[in-house]
């Protein structure tokens, strides 16, 4: 595989990282285990299969000059994704001692940055002390993969699945360095449209910082430590609420997060009245069957979570209305689409400005709430079924909490990632998620 320049958003994720704020996403999967050696066997399988997945052999290399052999030039000061000639899967797949608490062990592992001179991913196998389960923590740098791409890479080392064949994508004609003169008017119109869209996004982002009341619990100073909790709820319960009130499953899940935050803040002595933190809801611009291209394809919606509203159904109605407005505007406009502005920054700007931009996240949003799609088919590793899977989002500088959600095999799994010192009571927030689902179910009963 030839070197491939990083897309602007990938480059942004690569350059805003610091030792205290690693920019990797993750997933903690729990598998049923028969023999006590199932975890060790799983680690052997992952190491044996990794070399056959091309994306797992790719390292990210900073560049300053364009190799003459490339048909297209690199942007000055950028980075490339290229095969690592020293790739050894044993550097990336690690078998640990048996764990009594998978989430506690995963939290300590998630706070460690990935090694930047190797392909930026890891798989940690955690046998259970009872021998009946084992867990695998996957870590992928956000510059290597977004959620859908990470799912594709992880699926490459799990047991093969029988999936319907996807249609081949038409090949793009090679692009030369000199544009076709006949296309210049269209390109100029597109460039002007992009510039106008960028101004709209920038203005919306600036306005979003006005008249905001968040909670210090969500925006405490970062310590670099990580704590993880997971909670599973019944998807049928979520569907019951959706069918009763209208909207989408995602609307219900966002409202559950808002209600859980209210419970949590009140119980820890922080006042929830009037609190409306800005939630960034990432939107993938990549279709599941086109997850092969490397690079992030992300935009987002920005909305205020109605944490201060005491009525659960009213909170849900507010969330649904806000999401409807976001969808009407589309993922290419509005304050949540700031990620698209990365396309308008030169590569050298990402490299120089990355450390400064990393601190701007707390000015833009207060909490990340993201959804990661998973296949409905059961996944296995070494014949052992995957029973739970908790997605884990990176934690931006100045943020105390990030929430990721996936549905799998009739369950909704919430993965909570928090700063370990700012949120020592993360397990209580996880319990509040379950309680909020019950509250919504009760409110929907006649």
């Amino acid at each position: 595989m030839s070197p491939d320049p990083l897309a602007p958003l990938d480059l942004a994720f690569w350059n805003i990282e610091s030792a205290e704020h690693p920019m990797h996403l993750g997933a903690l999967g729990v598998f049923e285990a028969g023999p006590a050696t199932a975890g060790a066997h799983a680690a052997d399988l992952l190491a044996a299969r990794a070399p056959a997945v091309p994306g797992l052999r790719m390292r990210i290399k900073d560049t300053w000059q364009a190799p003459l052999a490339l048909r297209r030039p690199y942007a000055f000061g950028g980075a490339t994704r290229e095969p690592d000639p020293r790739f050894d899967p044993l550097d990336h797949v690690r078998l640990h001692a048996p764990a009594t608490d998978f989430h506690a062990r995963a939290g300590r592992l998630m706070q460690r940055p990935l090694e930047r001179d190797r392909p930026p991913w890891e798989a940690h196998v955690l046998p259970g002390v009872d021998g009946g389960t084992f867990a695998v923590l996957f870590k992928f740098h956000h510059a290597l993969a977004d959620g859908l791409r990470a799912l594709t890479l992880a699926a490459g080392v799990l047991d093969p699945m029988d999936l319907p064949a996807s249609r081949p994508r038409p090949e793009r004609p090679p692009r030369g360095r000199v544009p076709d003169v006949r296309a210049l008017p269209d390109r100029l119109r597109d460039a002007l449209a992009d510039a106008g869209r960028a101004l709209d996004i920038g203005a919306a982002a600036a306005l979003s910082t006005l008249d905001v009341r968040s909670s210090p619990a969500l925006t405490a100073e970062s310590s670099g430590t990580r704590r993880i909790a997971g909670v599973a709820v019944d998807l049928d319960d979520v569907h019951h609420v959706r069918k009763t009130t209208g909207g989408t499953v995602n609307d219900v899940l966002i409202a559950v997060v808002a209600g859980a935050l209210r419970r949590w803040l009140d119980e820890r002595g922080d006042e929830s009245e009037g609190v409306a933190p800005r939630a960034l809801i990432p939107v993938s611009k990549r279709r599941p069957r086109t997850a092969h291209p490397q690079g992030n394809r992300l935009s987002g919606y920005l909305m205020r979570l109605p944490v201060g509203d005491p009525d659960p159904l009213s909170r849900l109605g507010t969330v649904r209305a806000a999401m409807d407005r976001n969808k009407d505007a589309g993922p290419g406009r509005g304050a949540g689409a700031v990620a698209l502005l990365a396309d308008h920054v030169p590569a050298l700007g990402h490299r120089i400005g990355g450390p400064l931009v990393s601190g701007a996240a707390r000015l833009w949003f207060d909490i990340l709430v993201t959804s990661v799609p998973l296949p409905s088919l059961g996944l296995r590793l070494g014949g052992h079924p995957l029973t739970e899977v908790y997605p884990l989002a990176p934690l931006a500088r100045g943020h105390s909490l990030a929430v990721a959600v996936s549905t799998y095999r009739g369950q909704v799994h919430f993965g909570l990632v928090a700063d370990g010192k700012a949120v020592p009571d993360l397990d209580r927030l996880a319990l509040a998620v379950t309680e909020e689902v019950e509250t919504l179910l009760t409110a929907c009963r006649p």
Side-chain angles (χ1 to χ4, degrees):
M1 297 178 65
S2 60
D4 183 36
L6 260 64
L9 186 54
D10 301 342
L11 194 58
F13 284 129
W14 187 245
N15 283 297
I16 66 176
E17 180 175 64
S18 66
E20 296 77 20
H21 300 90
M23 281 287 105
H24 53 253
L25 46 86
L28 180 65
V30 180
F31 297 81
E32 287 183 1
T37 58
H41 179 54
D44 291 341
L45 283 176
L46 294 174
R49 292 170 177 175
V53 182
L56 297 181
R57 303 176 63 95
M58 305 297 281
R59 66 174 177 174
I60 295 175
K61 183 179 179 181
D62 293 321
T63 60
W64 289 101
Q65 297 181 0
L68 297 176
L70 286 184
R71 296 175 58 185
R72 50 179 173 165
Y74 291 174
F76 181 73
T80 62
R81 195 182 288 107
E82 59 184 54
D84 185 354
R86 304 170 303 159
F87 175 72
D88 183 347
L90 296 180
D91 292 333
H92 302 267
V93 179
R94 296 161 192 176
L95 176 65
H96 294 259
T100 56
D101 185 336
F102 293 143
H103 289 93
R105 183 74 64 83
R108 293 191 291 272
L109 293 170
M110 280 294 288
Q111 72 187 32
R112 301 178 188 173
L114 294 164
E115 296 187 36
R116 292 171 69 91
D117 60 346
R118 294 175 177 171
W121 68 275
E122 292 174 353
H124 297 270
V125 180
L126 312 174
V129 292
D130 59 356
T133 58
F134 68 88
V136 178
L137 172 67
F138 287 102
K139 294 168 56 178
F140 296 99
H141 199 287
H142 222 323
L144 180 69
D146 56 16
L148 278 175
R149 176 66 177 161
L151 174 62
T152 301
L153 293 174
V157 291
L158 297 180
D159 292 355
M161 294 187 299
D162 294 327
L163 297 176
S166 59
R167 297 179 180 178
R169 292 178 295 125
E171 294 186 3
R172 294 182 180 178
R175 292 189 296 177
R177 298 188 181 183
V178 180
D180 188 340
V181 175
R182 294 169 297 180
L184 287 178
D186 290 338
R187 294 188 179 201
L188 179 60
R189 183 175 61 250
D190 292 343
L192 292 174
D194 286 345
R197 189 177 302 114
L199 290 174
D200 286 347
I201 294 171
L207 291 173
S208 73
T209 65
L210 302 177
D211 189 27
V212 173
R213 179 156 191 261
S214 184
S215 168
L218 299 179
T219 55
E221 289 298 324
S222 304
S223 69
T225 59
R226 293 293 181 270
R227 188 181 298 272
I228 287 173
V231 58
V233 300
D234 197 320
L235 181 58
D236 286 342
D237 290 342
V238 176
H239 276 302
H240 176 76
V241 175
R242 177 192 62 80
K243 292 175 182 177
T244 303
T245 61
T248 68
V249 165
N250 202 40
D251 294 340
V252 177
L253 298 179
I254 296 172
V256 166
V257 172
L261 287 174
R262 177 182 175 82
R263 290 173 179 272
W264 176 64
L265 290 175
D266 287 342
E267 290 180 5
R268 73 197 320 250
D270 296 334
E271 188 179 348
S272 66
E273 183 178 355
V275 171
R278 298 159 300 176
L280 176 63
I281 316 293
V283 177
S284 176
K285 302 186 73 176
R286 184 201 303 275
R287 296 180 180 179
R289 290 195 178 183
T290 59
H292 173 70
Q294 302 185 46
N296 284 272
R297 304 288 189 271
L298 292 173
S299 182
Y301 297 139
L302 196 69
M303 63 172 293
R304 303 222 181 148
L305 294 180
V307 171
D309 189 338
D311 186 334
L313 293 183
S314 176
R315 287 194 296 267
L316 177 52
T318 299
V319 167
R320 185 169 66 246
M323 288 300 290
D324 286 344
R325 288 194 298 270
N326 277 320
K327 292 171 186 175
D328 288 341
R333 293 184 181 273
V338 167
L340 299 181
L341 295 182
D343 291 337
H344 300 271
V345 178
L348 186 59
H350 282 294
R351 176 170 290 195
I352 296 174
L356 299 176
V357 172
S358 66
R362 69 186 307 173
L363 302 177
W364 172 30
F365 66 97
D366 303 304
I367 184 172
L368 178 74
V369 183
T370 184
S371 178
V372 181
L374 290 175
S376 58
L377 298 175
L379 300 172
R380 293 175 177 268
L381 178 56
H384 301 285
L386 175 67
T387 58
E388 305 169 52
V389 56
Y390 299 95
L392 306 171
L395 200 59
R397 182 186 297 273
H399 288 170
S400 303
L401 179 67
V403 181
V405 188
S406 283
T407 57
Y408 176 71
R409 306 286 286 179
Q411 296 283 312
V412 179
H413 294 96
F414 290 80
L416 311 178
V417 178
D419 183 279
K421 291 186 177 179
V423 188
D425 55 344
L426 187 62
D427 289 341
R428 187 63 195 86
L429 177 58
L431 180 59
V433 170
T434 302
E435 294 171 341
E436 183 61 19
V437 173
E438 292 297 327
T439 297
L440 282 170
L441 282 172
T442 301
C444 290
R445 294 190 183 109

